[in-house]
Amino acid sequence: YGVQVMVGIMVLGVMIGYLLDLLRVTEAALSVMWLTTFAEIFASFIIFLSHMPFGPSNIFLLFNTTVFQVLAALWATLHVRWVQKEGSGPFLEMLLLSTVSLPAAA
């Protein structure tokens, strides 16, 4: 349910982040990554509320997916702050947004 929405959010976030990273606006690319993460979390809650039955396993799955997305975004923030300043290119930003979006693609 809702896989196209989640993948669409991920692709849009990756494209915008990639363009901002090409322009060397690292802070804006990082902000787009966080906005993409929150948009995916919001979309997963909406999809959960509209299509999934309320059960302990579904609530546990939603909670774990949300926690994983936030932890991946935190990791990406640290990665951008400390590693990307050494000269990594736009490929790294695309990789970071894709990493944050893995639960949505699954």
Side-chain angles (χ1 to χ4, degrees):
Y1 303 106
V3 173
Q4 292 93 359
V5 173
M6 300 298 281
V7 171
I9 291 171
M10 176 185 67
V11 168
L12 185 64
V14 167
M15 287 180 359
I16 294 171
Y18 182 77
L19 290 174
L20 289 172
D21 199 27
L22 274 177
L23 297 172
R24 300 285 184 211
V25 187
T26 307
E27 293 297 321
L30 189 61
S31 299
V32 166
M33 183 203 61
W34 274 99
L35 287 173
T36 302
T37 302
F38 289 130
E40 286 185 355
I41 290 171
F42 180 72
S44 65
F45 275 103
I46 296 298
I47 292 167
F48 174 79
L49 291 174
S50 64
H51 293 297
M52 300 287 184
F54 287 104
S57 62
N58 288 338
I59 293 172
F60 182 72
L61 178 66
L62 182 65
F63 175 74
N64 283 338
T65 303
T66 303
V67 168
F68 178 76
Q69 286 176 329
V70 170
L71 288 177
L74 287 173
W75 171 82
T77 301
L78 291 175
H79 197 65
V80 166
R81 295 276 186 225
W82 291 336
V83 175
Q84 191 174 10
K85 294 195 186 247
E86 295 178 7
S88 299
F91 176 75
L92 182 61
E93 185 66 31
M94 187 171 68
L95 176 70
L96 295 175
L97 279 169
S98 300
T99 303
V100 170
S101 303
L102 280 177

